[in-house]
Amino acid sequence: MRDPYEVLGVERSSTQDEIKSAFRRLAGQHHPDKNPGDQGAHVRFKELNAAYQILSDPQKRAAFDRFGPAAVGASAGSGVPGVPFDMQDLNLDAIFGDLLGALGIRVGDRGTLQKEVRITFEEAAFGCAKEITYDRVEPCGDCAGSGSAPGASTERCSACSGRGRVRMQQGMFPIAIERPCGRCRGTGRIVTDPCRTCRGAGLAAKQKTIEVTIPPGVENGATRLVERGGNAVRSDRGPGDLELTIRVSPHELFRRVGDDVVCSVPISFARAALGGELEIPTLEGKGRLRIPPGTQPGAVLRIKGKGIPRRVVGGRGDQLVEVSVEVPTQLTAPQRELIAQLAKELGENVQPQQATFMEKLKGLFG
């Protein structure tokens, strides 16, 4: 039996990560699929698997370091002198976790996918239907999820006798625990000739397009669940769910406060003083707003029923219009004269806010 450290080209002091990296590099180099017509590639790949089986298991590695090849024994069915594993040990199980990792699936993953959906302010207010295209993991179409090459058959797993589950006794406790078989991943079958598309994983990444209905009044950060829209973590089980997070793009005119829509509208001094009607933007287009005479800067005017649809009690919120009074900055000589005459005519008695402010100053400073 060749020294497994020599087979993988690593030192005896190498870490598990270094051993794993060396195995993945050499396995990719000597895989039979990458060396068609080379009969020795199968033997080299088989030997690499055997060496990795020993060095990736801390107990087997410790036993080999202490007692040598005798500690791991030999199997008559290996086909390679001194290699202690039969054909059922030499499938792609050693790198199956890495294959799923490349697809974005980790140990214990239930297949849940998380994606963001960006919509406009108006779409959030009134609802919409969005077409979403994304990548997910599905059973391989070329092998129908079996992991075997077309026309190839699988073998019954000898570790679990085809049951897919094994019984184990842990530590000093006499209670046997049943769990999925690690060799066949709970399927009861062993892939001997892996599918070239999925490399024996039985799963492959595929693009999927779905249509999702966004309800009226949805808020930024809300989530929607699409059942069975996520990844498949095993070819013999259904996929997980797709969790969509709604992201509402900011609007250049409106902002949302609860179920109300707020916007700021500038008006002239004359319009604020005299009042009148003003054309303003709404979620449904142009609208008309009545400005009361004597409207003060910062006043908030309300338009009933022009806000966001309420999702629970029905109806709609309001539109709140924040009024800002524009002060002209570039005046002609005649305009300055007219404003001066107006100020003289108005005096201070018709400016209640200024009078109140002056009273507060007198009370503060005596």
Side-chain angles (χ1 to χ4, degrees):
M1 175 183 178
R2 286 186 62 195
D3 189 323
Y5 292 100
E6 180 183 343
V7 173
L8 296 180
V10 296
E11 301 293 335
R12 290 185 176 273
S13 59
S14 298
T15 64
Q16 286 295 321
D17 288 340
E18 292 172 338
I19 292 173
K20 182 178 181 180
S21 177
F23 168 71
R24 294 182 63 182
R25 175 175 53 81
L26 293 173
Q29 179 181 347
H30 295 289
H31 196 285
D33 290 346
K34 293 187 176 181
N35 299 274
D38 185 355
Q39 298 298 325
H42 178 78
V43 176
R44 292 194 299 273
F45 185 70
K46 187 176 181 181
E47 190 176 36
L48 287 169
N49 271 280
Y52 184 66
Q53 293 277 357
I54 296 174
L55 298 186
S56 63
D57 187 317
Q59 294 181 345
K60 290 181 181 179
R61 181 181 179 182
F64 181 86
D65 290 343
R66 186 174 182 181
F67 302 108
V72 293
S75 171
S78 67
V80 178
V83 177
F85 300 97
D86 60 22
M87 191 59 194
Q88 291 180 333
D89 290 315
L90 302 177
N91 57 66
L92 294 180
D93 289 346
I95 57 174
F96 183 75
D98 298 330
L99 294 178
L100 293 185
L103 295 174
I105 297 176
R106 297 293 180 264
V107 176
D109 195 342
R110 295 185 178 182
T112 301
L113 263 181
Q114 295 180 331
K115 298 291 179 183
E116 288 191 351
V117 181
R118 187 161 293 278
I119 61 176
T120 66
F121 193 91
E122 289 86 354
E123 288 174 334
F126 300 116
C128 63
K130 300 293 287 187
E131 192 174 80
I132 302 170
T133 300
Y134 64 101
D135 293 327
R136 75 167 189 171
V137 178
E138 299 180 355
C140 176
D142 290 347
C143 65
S146 68
S148 296
S153 59
T154 59
E155 297 181 358
R156 189 179 71 168
C157 176
S158 61
C160 63
S161 300
R163 294 178 60 246
R165 302 186 68 83
V166 294
R167 295 176 64 85
M168 298 188 64
Q169 183 173 324
Q170 297 184 347
M172 301 177 61
F173 296 98
I175 302 176
I177 301 175
E178 190 174 80
R179 68 178 189 180
C181 176
R183 176 178 291 177
C184 64
R185 305 184 299 278
T187 64
R189 309 295 296 179
I190 296 293
V191 175
T192 56
D193 185 8
C195 168
R196 292 177 179 267
T197 301
C198 65
R199 297 171 58 196
L203 302 169
K206 186 177 180 181
Q207 194 173 78
K208 185 176 180 63
T209 300
I210 61 173
E211 186 175 271
V212 179
T213 301
I214 308 297
V218 67
E219 296 185 7
N220 181 51
T223 59
R224 288 187 62 78
L225 192 68
V226 180
E227 294 184 355
R228 302 176 68 84
N231 288 327
V233 296
R234 281 183 48 169
S235 58
D236 58 340
R237 294 181 181 176
D241 298 328
L242 172 64
E243 186 178 283
L244 299 175
T245 301
I246 310 300
R247 298 299 179 194
V248 182
S249 300
H251 197 280
E252 59 181 355
L253 296 176
F254 304 114
R255 70 179 188 275
R256 180 173 179 173
V257 179
D259 291 327
D260 295 333
V261 172
V262 183
C263 71
S264 297
V265 176
I267 62 175
S268 66
F269 168 76
R271 181 65 59 84
L274 302 176
E277 281 198 351
L278 182 69
E279 188 176 81
I280 62 167
T282 71
L283 289 176
E284 297 163 317
K286 295 180 180 179
R288 305 293 298 181
L289 174 66
R290 190 181 71 85
I291 307 295
T295 295
Q296 300 299 314
V300 178
L301 305 179
R302 185 181 298 269
I303 306 177
K304 293 286 188 179
K306 289 294 184 179
I308 304 293
R310 297 189 178 97
R311 299 187 59 186
V312 179
V313 298
R316 292 176 60 177
D318 302 330
Q319 178 167 332
L320 307 180
V321 181
E322 297 176 340
V323 176
S324 61
V325 178
E326 288 187 316
V327 178
T329 57
Q330 297 180 349
L331 298 173
T332 64
Q335 290 172 340
R336 292 176 64 88
E337 184 177 350
L338 288 173
I339 293 177
Q341 292 177 5
L342 177 61
K344 183 178 180 180
E345 181 69 25
L346 291 175
E348 296 184 356
N349 294 330
V350 293
Q351 300 182 32
Q353 290 187 0
Q354 183 177 352
T356 303
F357 177 71
M358 295 302 296
E359 290 177 1
K360 291 180 179 179
L361 284 180
K362 291 178 180 179
L364 181 62
F365 297 107

